[in-house]
Amino acid sequence: MASLGMSEPERDALARFERDVIEPSMTGLVLLQFTATWCGPCKQLSPILDKVAADYAAKGVLLKRIDVDQDKMIADQFRIQSVPTVYAMFQGQPVADLTQFRTEAQIGKAIDQLLTQLPVKAEAQDLKAEVEPLIAMAETVLAEGDATRAATIFAQVQAIDPGNPEVIGGLVRAVIGEGKPDEARILLDALDEEAGKHPAIARARTALDLASAPVADVSGEEARIAANPDDHEARFAIANARLAAGDRDGAAEELLTIIGRDPAWNEGAARARLLQMLEAAGFDDPWGRSIRRRLSALLFT
């Protein structure tokens, strides 16, 4: 914006705009709301924008307001025809018109899309870049069977990023792998409702449910299977006992046998339990991929 021929108040307004909007937008995403004291819809929208900006502050989002009556020159530069008008600014330029969005969910969704497209720099992005390789390392260690070392790594990452549900979910599964279900349950019970909705936490809860089955003597059920291979109730009990003992291969074999002989047995109980095991293992787990292929072969061939 050229300052030639401006009055002193206009120069001051331009300096404030450059300091408060342009400069922060060089690295962050600035929500710029044009408003007025007499504007009823502005008064309804402003608290929503305040809430969104607070929620996204760590991701480099900042909210600034321009009163079109007090800073008419700035409003004229943007050719504001009505208020409220809301732009997203990045590197000194409007990158999106958010005026049409009037709810927290709509605005949040639009910001999420912008943050995936723009190289916004902020604390959250820096933290994500730091912890992602550590999470991947811990997952690899856990998949290799070293639950104690994986738990140590997850705990160290949690110290860096305490509220990360992927870290907490991984720590829970590692603790379960150590044979400490009570400790895992304490970690899960400490989560708030919103964190509990994350897929990583759902996966951890499933893992805990599977690990909480009591270890049982199934010698009687094994004798029943020897006499009648189609005794699916006995085979299902054996699968649960194998699972409780940490033998997921043995448990999966028994469940696959039931599915192969009678997929609909007990309203698909064997398939449901196997799917629980696969959820706990995770989509990228090599063991899980192998079991999924075998399950698909039984169901679709």
Side-chain angles (χ1 to χ4, degrees):
M1 295 181 183
S3 60
L4 189 64
M6 290 183 181
S7 66
E8 192 64 30
E10 288 175 336
R11 289 194 183 91
D12 290 342
L14 178 58
R16 287 196 306 273
F17 183 78
E18 291 179 345
R19 181 192 67 225
D20 296 342
V21 177
I22 300 299
E23 291 180 9
S25 79
M26 300 316 291
T27 56
L29 187 69
V30 177
L31 305 182
L32 182 60
Q33 179 189 11
F34 290 90
T35 184
T37 55
W38 45 263
C39 171
C42 299
K43 295 177 182 177
Q44 295 175 339
L45 181 61
S46 290
I48 296 173
L49 288 173
D50 287 337
K51 175 66 164 54
V52 172
D55 290 344
Y56 281 84
K59 295 183 178 181
V61 177
L62 181 68
L63 174 64
K64 292 296 180 181
R65 291 189 172 92
I66 298 292
D67 187 304
V68 296
D69 294 324
Q70 295 180 7
D71 290 323
K72 187 175 184 301
M73 183 267 296
I74 302 295
D76 288 344
Q77 291 285 341
F78 280 85
R79 299 180 181 178
I80 300 302
Q81 301 296 317
S82 62
V83 288
T85 294
V86 182
Y87 290 129
M89 303 281 294
F90 183 67
Q91 295 185 344
Q93 300 294 326
V95 293
D97 185 347
L98 306 183
T99 305
Q100 62 180 313
F101 304 124
R102 296 302 175 90
T103 69
E104 184 179 337
Q106 291 172 337
I107 298 168
K109 183 178 179 179
I111 293 174
D112 286 335
Q113 292 176 339
L114 289 170
L115 291 177
T116 64
Q117 299 166 359
L118 301 171
V120 174
K121 297 180 180 178
E123 177 185 345
Q125 284 83 347
D126 292 342
L127 182 60
K128 181 179 179 181
E130 181 180 358
V131 303
E132 278 187 343
L134 299 175
I135 294 173
M137 179 194 302
E139 290 287 0
T140 298
V141 171
L142 183 57
E144 291 173 348
D146 192 344
T148 298
R149 181 167 172 243
T152 299
I153 298 172
F154 276 122
Q156 291 171 343
V157 180
Q158 187 186 29
I160 301 171
D161 191 3
N164 190 322
E166 293 187 3
V167 177
I168 298 169
L171 178 58
V172 168
R173 288 184 288 108
V175 169
I176 292 170
E178 290 185 288
K180 303 175 181 176
D182 290 340
E183 186 174 329
R185 189 170 289 104
I186 291 171
L187 289 169
L188 290 172
D189 289 345
L191 297 175
D192 59 31
E193 182 178 354
E194 190 63 30
K197 298 176 182 178
H198 194 280
I201 301 303
R203 178 185 174 189
R205 290 194 189 281
T206 298
L208 180 59
D209 289 342
L210 293 173
S212 298
V215 178
D217 179 5
V218 289
S219 56
E221 284 78 3
E222 289 172 344
R224 287 165 54 186
I225 289 293
N228 178 16
D230 286 327
D231 188 339
H232 302 319
E233 182 181 5
R235 195 178 296 278
F236 191 73
I238 293 171
N240 285 332
R242 299 276 190 272
L243 192 58
D247 180 9
R248 68 177 181 178
D249 288 326
E253 289 297 334
E254 300 295 350
L255 294 171
L256 287 167
T257 299
I258 295 173
I259 295 167
R261 290 175 176 270
D262 185 359
W265 174 77
N266 196 17
E267 298 182 346
R271 180 173 178 269
R273 178 52 59 93
L274 189 59
L275 290 176
Q276 280 187 312
M277 293 174 62
L278 292 172
E279 180 185 9
F283 188 78
D284 295 326
D285 184 84
W287 177 86
R289 288 199 297 268
S290 174
I291 297 299
R292 282 190 182 89
R293 286 194 294 268
R294 294 180 61 186
L295 178 60
S296 296
L298 287 173
L299 295 175
F300 303 114
T301 57

